[in-house]
Amino acid sequence: MSLLTKLRSENPSAKSLVISQFTSMLNIVETPLKAEGFNFVRLDGKMTQRKRAEVIELFDERGSDSPTVMLLSLKAGGVGLNLTAASRVFLLDPVS
């Protein structure tokens, strides 16, 4: 979270992908994102193709109110997505 917060303070329009192979990890990350007031979207395998397309379109927007963070499950994101809107990628997985 500290890196996302720092990035937002340096460049409020910078976009980041937060990727995990575990949706439970994405669930954990949602709480501090909401608490810090981040505008974010989520793409995971439970979503319909239509909803996935909507989320990608929202994330690709460049407006001041567009999402700056996308939470992405590795399995859902590994299907040929072209997410060039993001300038940073964070890979998160729990350590055993």
Side-chain angles (χ1 to χ4, degrees), residues 1 3 12 26 28-29 31 48 58 72 75-76 84 86:
M1 275 309 299
L3 292 174
L26 299 178
I28 292 168
V29 173
T31 301
T48 64
L58 268 174
L72 179 64
K75 192 177 250 186
T84 58

Side-chain angles (χ1 to χ4, degrees), residues 21-88:
Q21 64 181 328
F22 299 101
T23 56
S24 57
M25 182 61 114
L26 299 178
N27 294 342
I28 292 168
V29 173
E30 277 190 32
T31 301
L33 285 175
K34 288 176 184 174
E36 294 288 329
F38 278 88
N39 186 359
F40 68 94
V41 291
R42 179 175 172 149
L43 193 151
D44 64 41
K46 295 179 183 176
M47 302 169 77
T48 64
Q49 281 300 116
R50 174 178 276 160
K51 184 63 178 169
R52 289 181 195 198
E54 289 173 9
V55 165
I56 291 167
E57 188 176 315
L58 268 174
F59 188 69
D60 282 342
E61 290 179 3
R62 290 289 177 190
S64 61
D65 61 341
S66 68
T68 57
V69 176
M70 177 185 279
L71 301 178
L72 179 64
S73 73
L74 188 59
K75 192 177 250 186
V79 291
L81 292 179
N82 185 3
L83 297 170
T84 58
S87 60
R88 300 286 191 277

